[in-house]
């Protein structure tokens, strides 16, 4: 039996960040140079983001605290807590997100229960604690204590793909396996005020969110729609090691996101797809443009622009990625799962539809995945009318 992604659910914190309001606060911080102020305005205004979510309640920008940690609503100053303080908050705030996403994914599979889960794979690059989120999920969902647990840490925005690839391998080795993959990131824990262009870019893009998937080779219920996990590939570009990185500093984790990254993707994205498409006999020798659905990690608006232009995709094909970027921002490893969920839930004509997905991260690493959307047909066309309208707006 093919290995399928049976359910894909997401979760976000309650606090909403409005991009224009956050921009004004960052632009007004003491110590910013005129160039820094211009960079803040440009980065926030051209991000393609309208709203994001954060686990840091103080970043509502109006909530007053007697002992502020991240933001002093009285002085309107962004503060710089230590890495330890930020990581302690990660342990407290990430755990509920991991659990919520996992519970929703399992609940979306009515034929499966806690006793069916054989493996748990968790993902995050924005904090550490042990016993970790894999342990917390087992306890909270009442999974068997013998469940095999794995955690992929500090890989970056592409880490959902290694997690799904591992899940696929587990299911191929044991056809009865049921793998729960859960990724959660609290990127906003690491925002700070700075004149550094990379730091400003990160502050304008990154957000918090979680996603969970149930992966298995067990029989698919007749009324279900699922994603068949066809193939995964990894490619390291010959350049870019210094252009994208994720380092640990004294005042949080520090993002390196150079302006040259979109150019690296532009130069190497076609070559990065070759190993993936060569794995599939039905696609070998055919142009990648024949693939209908594209689940691109929205690392930023300029990256999506480069992908769209280089691969000659239509505006409609980038709607899932641009919609997620607009409404949620860049949630690191969880983001591409949001994009896949958007495609999975779009109307489906009943004929198996191919999906090509990719994410980018430190290295520069390009992870790619090929999926087949299959299962029960739904009314409508491949692109919903709402998606067409969204494409026109974007």
């Amino acid at each position: 039996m093919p290995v399928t992604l049976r359910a894909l659910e997401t979760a976000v914190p309650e606090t909403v960040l409005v991009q224009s309001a956050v921009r004004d606060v960052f632009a007004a911080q003491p110590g910013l140079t005129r160039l820094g102020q211009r960079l803040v305005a440009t980065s926030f205004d051209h991000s393609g983001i309208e709203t994001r979510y954060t686990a840091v309640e103080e970043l509502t920008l109006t909530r007053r605290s007697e002992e502020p940690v991240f933001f002093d609503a009285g002085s309107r100053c962004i503060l710089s807590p230590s890495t330890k303080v930020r990581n302690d908050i990660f342990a407290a705030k990430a755990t509920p997100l991991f659990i919520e996403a996992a519970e929703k994914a399992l609940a979306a599979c009515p034929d499966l229960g806690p006793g069916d889960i054989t493996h748990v794979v968790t993902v995050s690059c924005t904090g550490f604690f042990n016993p970790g989120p894999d342990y917390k999920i087992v306890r909270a969902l009442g999974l068997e204590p013998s469940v095999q647990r794995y955690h992929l840490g500090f890989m970056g925005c592409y880490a959902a793909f290694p997690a799904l690839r591992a899940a696929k391998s587990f299911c191929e080795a044991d056809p009865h396996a049921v793998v729960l993959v859960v990724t959660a990131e609290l990127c906003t824990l690491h925002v700070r005020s700075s004149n550094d262009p990379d730091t400003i870019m990160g502050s304008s893009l990154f957000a918090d969110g979680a996603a969970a998937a149930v992966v298995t080779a067990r029989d698919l219920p007749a009324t279900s729609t699922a994603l068949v996990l066809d193939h995964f590939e990894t490619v390291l570009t010959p350049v870019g090691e210094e252009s994208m990185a994720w380092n640990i500093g004294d005042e949080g984790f520090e993002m390196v996101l150079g302006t040259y990254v979109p150019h690296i993707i532009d130069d190497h994205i076609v070559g990065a797809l070759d190993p993936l498409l060569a794995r599939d006999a039905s696609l070998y020798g055919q142009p990648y443009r024949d693939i209908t659905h594209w689940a691109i990690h929205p690392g930023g608006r300029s990256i999506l622009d480069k992908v769209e232009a280089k691969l000659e995709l239509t505006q409609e094909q980038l709607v899932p990625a641009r919609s997620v970027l607009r409404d949620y921002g860049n949630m690191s490893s969880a983001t591409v799962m949001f994009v896949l969920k958007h495609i999975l839930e779009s109307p489906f004509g009943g004929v198996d539809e191919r999906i090509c997905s990719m994410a980018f991260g430190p290295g520069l690493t390009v992870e790619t995945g090929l999926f087949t959307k299959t299962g029960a047909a739904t009314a409508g066309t491949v692109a919903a009318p709402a998606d067409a309208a969204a494409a026109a707006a974007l």
Side-chain angles (χ1 to χ4, degrees), residues 192-211:
R192 61 179 60 79
S193 177
S194 173
N195 287 298
D196 177 69
D198 289 348
T199 303
I200 292 172
M201 181 68 70
S203 298
S204 72
L205 287 175
F206 286 102
D208 302 348

Side-chain angles (χ1 to χ4, degrees), residues 220-228 348-352 372-378:
L220 184 69
T223 58
S224 298
T225 300
L227 296 181
V228 177
F348 176 42
V351 178
D352 289 349
T372 301
K373 182 179 177 182
T374 188
T378 57

Side-chain angles (χ1 to χ4, degrees), residues 11-58:
V12 293
E14 294 182 357
T15 302
V16 181
L17 299 179
V18 177
Q19 188 76 335
S20 58
V22 179
R23 174 204 62 205
D24 292 345
V25 169
F26 271 84
Q29 292 305 297
L32 273 188
T33 64
R34 289 186 178 181
L35 175 59
Q37 291 174 337
R38 290 199 298 271
L39 287 174
V40 167
T42 300
S43 296
F44 278 76
D45 289 345
H46 293 86
S47 64
I49 297 170
E50 294 180 5
T51 56
R52 294 179 278 168
Y53 292 82
T54 178
V56 182
E57 291 88 348
E58 287 178 0

Side-chain angles (χ1 to χ4, degrees), residues 181-200:
V181 175
V182 193
T183 172
E185 305 284 10
L186 302 189
C187 303
T188 63
L189 286 178
H190 304 289
V191 300
R192 61 179 60 79
S193 177
S194 173
N195 287 298
D196 177 69
D198 289 348
T199 303
I200 292 172

